[in-house]
Amino acid sequence: MLRRIFYPFGWGAPTKLALILFLSALYVYLPVFTLYLQGNGLSLLQVNSLWGVLVAALFLAEVPTGLLADRIGRARSVQMALLFQLIGELLFFFGNSYPAYLLAAVAGGIGFAFSSGAAEALIYDWLLVRGRENEMSRAMGYINAAHKTAQLIAFGAGGWLALGLTPERFRLGIAFTAGMVGVAWLLTFGLADERAADDGEAEPSSWQLLGDGLTLLRTNRTLLVLALLAVFTLPLGDYLLNLYQPHFVILGVPPLWLGLGMAGGSLVGAVATANAWRLQEWLGERAALLLAAGLPGLFYLLFAAAGTPAPSVLLFILLVGSIGLKRPIFSEHLNRHISNRNRATLLSLISMATSFYDAAIGLVIGGVADGLGLIPAFVLMGGMILMATLIFGKKIV
């Protein structure tokens, strides 16, 4: 029983990648990230712009790294992803100014680009070779649960940082995170590609891979609607991470809950993402898709409406937890419509569109937060998610 829960794929690619993502997600300094940068003289717009720069770098690198993953192998691309992530953490550790933080964001963006399509394609290929591709949502839920469990541990530790926020303690948190990312990078050398045969077809050129992906998006209506729904219901969790900290301070939430709130959200998220595949059995595929897409939007609005510490913390925990439902379900549905040979390329195209939207809307959210306040920013975030769910959800058959 316990083996089926904690070790359902043996020592295969899903388990290895889950361990890698667990170690590389131990970001103990994130619960006080915004407060630390504000203490270094950065405005909320500048803090949000760091994520915008990261996303812009991700956007520019998405398609080239996706093409590269389909050419050189998905496992090697995951290795490159963790290497760039490690470089970004080292730059952040040794830098102490806005330009240095921008360089770290660029390195992180390139790293995320290498992994965005390659990691998912690596898992689907591993399942496809074994005839288990219908378990994709379960595999992604398993991997995302490992990521959320790491966040649970990291944000719990982050509460300790918040109790006595000093530059020395913060840098200790960065050093720990960089060390864990380094270990995760070493573990990527244990990954290997396993790809099903493509019916004897000749190896396509990079331009052909890109052209085939664009053609498929244009001609497959179901895939196109799923992709649009995935892009425009982006949960905006990274902007939430930037904005909830000053919001909690304004409400008078005890500093310890800066970390414990995220830890609680990660715990809920770990349970939710590990069981996301069950939603399709309980509700049906369409209802599960729409629930996973729209639920964070509803919680954003409720979080904005809460005006006292206790309800705000509870709704924040539920909001963070709800974000984990989306990726496992969408991953299985998107991969059903993509061929093996250009899987990483097409997933990177979709991720590129998401990155463009993410970067553009992040500046708007940061401007609203600085100009109108944090509550209007949360209302904007929730409203956009719910509107996109209604618009594109109607088109899903």
Side-chain angles (χ1 to χ4, degrees):
M1 178 64 178
L2 290 177
R3 186 184 186 281
R4 288 199 300 270
I5 296 174
F6 296 107
Y7 202 60
F9 302 98
W11 187 239
T15 306
K16 293 177 182 178
L17 194 59
L19 178 58
I20 289 167
L21 291 182
F22 172 83
L23 293 171
S24 64
L26 291 169
Y27 277 74
V28 297
Y29 63 81
L30 282 185
V32 291
F33 174 77
T34 301
L35 299 178
Y36 175 79
L37 293 181
Q38 284 183 305
N40 280 2
L42 274 65
S43 68
L44 284 176
L45 181 59
Q46 286 179 311
V47 174
N48 262 14
S49 73
L50 293 178
W51 179 249
V53 168
L54 184 150
V55 172
L58 192 159
F59 171 78
L60 294 173
E62 276 286 7
V63 172
T65 55
L67 289 168
L68 194 61
D70 280 325
R71 303 290 295 180
I72 68 172
R74 286 80 189 262
R76 189 172 299 176
S77 291
V78 175
Q79 292 169 10
M80 294 297 296
L82 269 294
L83 177 60
F84 273 97
Q85 185 179 344
L86 177 59
I87 291 171
E89 292 308 309
L90 293 176
L91 286 170
F92 191 55
F93 178 78
F94 289 107
N96 58 359
S97 64
Y98 183 58
Y101 300 147
L102 289 175
L103 287 177
V106 170
I110 296 173
F112 288 142
F114 266 107
S115 66
S116 65
E120 193 170 321
L122 179 71
I123 297 305
Y124 195 82
D125 287 344
W126 187 89
L127 293 170
L128 191 63
V129 167
R130 290 158 178 79
R132 300 174 63 180
E133 62 272 18
N134 61 338
E135 296 183 50
M136 183 61 175
S137 63
R138 185 179 184 183
M140 291 303 298
Y142 174 74
I143 291 168
N144 288 347
H147 184 269
K148 292 292 184 182
T149 302
Q151 290 182 328
L152 168 64
I153 296 170
F155 292 133
W160 170 76
L161 286 177
L163 290 176
L165 183 58
T166 63
E168 294 75 19
R169 183 171 287 192
F170 188 85
R171 286 171 61 81
L172 179 62
I174 302 174
F176 173 81
T177 299
M180 293 299 99
V181 173
V183 174
W185 173 60
L186 293 176
L187 290 176
T188 62
F189 290 91
L191 294 172
D193 287 291
E194 296 186 52
R195 299 174 63 173
D198 282 318
D199 302 324
E201 295 182 11
E203 184 73 16
S205 67
S206 296
W207 286 112
Q208 186 178 350
L209 288 171
L210 181 59
D212 289 349
L214 291 171
T215 299
L216 182 59
L217 273 175
R218 188 177 65 251
T219 58
N220 188 323
R221 182 181 180 278
T222 301
L223 177 62
L224 179 60
V225 171
L226 282 170
L228 290 171
L229 182 62
V231 170
F232 289 104
T233 59
L234 181 71
L236 304 168
D238 293 288
Y239 299 119
L240 173 64
L241 185 64
N242 290 340
L243 299 180
Y244 89 92
Q245 299 166 32
H247 183 61
F248 274 13
V249 170
I250 291 171
L251 291 178
V253 175
L256 183 63
W257 284 97
L258 290 172
L260 292 183
M262 280 300 298
S266 298
L267 176 60
V268 174
V271 175
T273 195
N275 292 280
W277 62 279
R278 299 181 189 275
L279 284 179
Q280 298 182 107
E281 296 180 355
W282 297 339
L283 304 176
E285 292 188 348
R286 184 176 185 275
L289 275 169
L290 296 182
L291 179 65
L295 191 59
L298 175 61
F299 279 127
Y300 268 115
L301 298 183
L302 294 174
F303 179 59
T308 55
S312 295
V313 171
L314 176 60
L315 287 166
F316 176 75
I317 289 171
L318 294 175
L319 169 56
V320 173
S322 70
I323 291 174
L325 286 172
K326 183 180 174 183
R327 188 180 178 191
I329 295 175
F330 273 75
S331 179
E332 178 171 324
H333 285 271
L334 288 169
N335 276 283
R336 287 177 186 172
H337 300 274
I338 306 173
S339 66
N340 180 58
R341 68 175 185 170
N342 68 340
R343 189 176 311 283
T345 299
L346 190 46
L347 290 173
S348 290
L349 277 171
I350 296 170
S351 185
M352 183 182 72
T354 305
S355 301
F356 178 80
Y357 174 71
D358 197 5
I361 206 64
L363 294 177
V364 175
I365 292 169
V368 169
D370 272 335
L372 300 179
L374 294 167
I375 291 177
F378 294 134
V379 171
L380 174 65
M381 293 157 79
M384 290 187 303
I385 293 171
L386 288 176
M387 184 178 298
T389 302
L390 291 173
I391 293 172
F392 296 109
K394 293 179 180 179
K395 302 178 184 297
I396 295 177
V397 180

